Amino acid sequence: MHPDHPHPTLPPQDIPPGVQEVILPSGERALAYSTGPTTPPPAVPAAPVAQPIPAWAKSTALLAPTVGGGIAIAAVGLSAAAPGLIAVSHVLWSAVATIAAGGAVAAAVIGRIRARITAAQREMQRPHITQHITATGLFGRANGTINHR
């Protein structure tokens, strides 16, 4: 306030938009319309509001140690079972080798049995039958002979 002109000043929140308080060259304060852009009063930042934790985040947080523990237990189980698994592998390979050897032996036995059957059939001398058939002309009657030896 100037001592010569006692005017009460308005608080900043009571000043309407587009009006600002100015100081005149004489030192007196006055209200004037602004011709340029007005700057709004600084916004008061709102206090952060706590957000609820989503259900998927809770369930994921609860499942993470469970899954990790399951993987750890599986690793321990595999390390304990490794010698047994190696032994089972050896047994399976032995079974495969036995089956392969058995197949080779069976093929040899079947070959010998067939050779014996063939030799026995040769010794039996089956009868040999021949036929001679003749016909005269395209539609002529056919005649034939059968020979047993």
Side-chain angles (χ1 to χ4, degrees):
M1 285 210 264
H2 195 274
D4 296 337
H5 305 288
H7 293 290
T9 59
L10 293 173
Q13 65 267 17
D14 290 342
I15 298 175
V19 177
Q20 60 184 351
E21 187 178 11
V22 294
I23 299 176
L24 300 175
S26 64
E28 186 179 352
R29 293 178 181 239
L31 293 176
Y33 288 105
S34 63
T35 56
T38 60
T39 57
V44 178
V49 178
Q51 298 290 331
I53 298 173
W56 66 266
K58 288 180 184 178
S59 62
T60 303
L62 292 173
L63 283 176
T66 305
V67 171
I71 292 172
I73 290 173
V76 169
L78 281 176
S79 67
L85 292 175
I86 292 171
V88 168
S89 170
H90 290 302
V91 167
L92 289 176
W93 280 115
S94 299
V96 168
T98 303
I99 290 170
V105 168
V109 169
I110 290 172
R112 284 191 171 184
I113 291 173
R114 283 189 180 169
R116 285 185 183 173
I117 291 173
T118 305
Q121 286 177 348
R122 286 184 189 161
E123 290 178 10
M124 289 178 46
Q125 290 285 330
R126 290 187 175 175
H128 188 69
I129 301 172
T130 58
Q131 293 181 344
H132 297 284
I133 301 172
T134 59
T136 57
L138 185 60
F139 297 106
R141 187 172 176 159
N143 294 319
T145 59
I146 298 175
N147 297 320
H148 294 278
R149 292 186 190 176

